[in-house]
Amino acid sequence: MTLYALGDIHGHIAKLDAALALIEADGGEDAEIVFVGDYVDRGPDSRAVIDRLLDGQRAGRRWTCLKGNHDRLMEWFLDPAGPRQDPHILVGYHWLHTAFGGAETLKSYGVSVPERIRLSDLADNARDRVPEDHIDFLRGLPLTREVGPLLFVHAGIRPGVPLHRQEENDLVWIREPFLEVGAALPRLVIHGHTPVEGPTHFGNRVAIDGGAAFDRPLVPVAFEESEVFTLTARGRVPLRPPGSPS
């Protein structure tokens, strides 16, 4: 069985459609895909991206969509109890800060962000424009997917902590110490969150956020038994860790 994965999309529908076309050309319409989160923010088409993912799931596609930190930021902003701030964010930052791109997401739903407006009022405006099924989609996103020796997650895992005891904040936010681990992990971890120049195999993890938010393509990755490949218009390209025989 071949399993496909896509990294952070960040509101780029054209890049998503191009990547899905590569997967379909390689594995057919019934290809199983794991999306590792961050569907929204920064790009101009967050609404269209969620629509595409929902359409695929409703059509019976074998698509698993995991939760990224940006998806959780949007979910928490739209909370009916009032917009929640993520405690992981540094002082002075918030979802609407240019570093996160929440304003671009709201714009895709037809919601403008004035210079002066209460966050609660802006959240009310957004809830009037964001479809309920999009809110339900964000709320219902799982955090991980385990398939045999593979673990799919948005950001990574905390080293030394059993998988069943991992905390949500780490699963959607962690960088160090996860990125610094050179030893074997409980499974081969496939993750996004931390941009790389293109999908990269580090031996114990495969980073698949190739920087679609930063003018780079969204590159699909295929997993087949113990082999890993990127997909291109010319076909599969083996993706191996450093030092592996070519």
Side-chain angles (χ1 to χ4, degrees), residues 27-181:
E29 292 185 358
D30 196 39
E32 184 173 1
I33 307 174
V34 179
F35 302 82
V36 299
D38 278 6
Y39 313 111
V40 302
D41 296 349
R42 297 182 177 146
D45 307 308
S46 291
R47 176 174 186 158
V49 167
I50 293 181
D51 274 333
R52 184 75 77 252
L53 296 173
L54 282 171
D55 287 345
Q57 291 181 333
R58 288 168 179 156
R61 298 291 181 98
R62 297 188 296 160
W63 292 1
T64 299
C65 299
L66 303 181
K67 181 173 294 189
N69 60 311
H70 284 262
D71 312 310
R72 194 175 78 167
L73 287 170
M74 181 179 177
E75 174 196 355
W76 284 13
F77 184 81
L78 296 172
D79 191 324
R84 288 188 284 164
Q85 177 68 291
D86 193 317
H88 189 90
I89 295 178
L90 297 174
V91 172
Y93 288 82
H94 49 81
W95 183 52
L96 299 172
H97 191 283
T98 54
F100 288 94
E104 286 79 6
T105 295
L106 291 181
K107 185 177 179 180
S108 75
Y109 290 93
V111 179
S112 61
V113 182
E115 289 187 8
R116 292 180 61 85
I117 187 172
R118 291 183 178 87
L119 282 181
S120 59
D121 292 337
L122 180 60
D124 288 341
N125 293 346
R127 279 191 294 272
D128 288 340
R129 302 300 294 272
V130 177
E132 191 64 34
D133 59 351
H134 285 214
I135 296 175
D136 290 341
F137 173 81
L138 296 169
R139 288 175 182 156
L141 293 171
L143 296 168
T144 62
R145 172 80 192 280
E146 296 180 46
V147 182
L150 309 177
L151 172 68
F152 296 86
V153 63
H154 177 64
I157 59 174
R158 184 160 293 278
V161 177
L163 296 180
H164 68 280
R165 292 186 178 175
Q166 295 286 329
E167 296 185 0
E168 179 174 314
N169 276 340
D170 287 331
L171 297 174
V172 301
W173 274 110
I174 197 169
R175 287 197 170 96
E176 292 75 21
F178 168 67
L179 300 178
E180 299 170 341
V181 173

Side-chain angles (χ1 to χ4, degrees), residues 12 15 210-218:
H12 288 280
K15 295 180 182 183
F214 308 108
D215 299 323
R216 294 197 288 271
L218 181 62

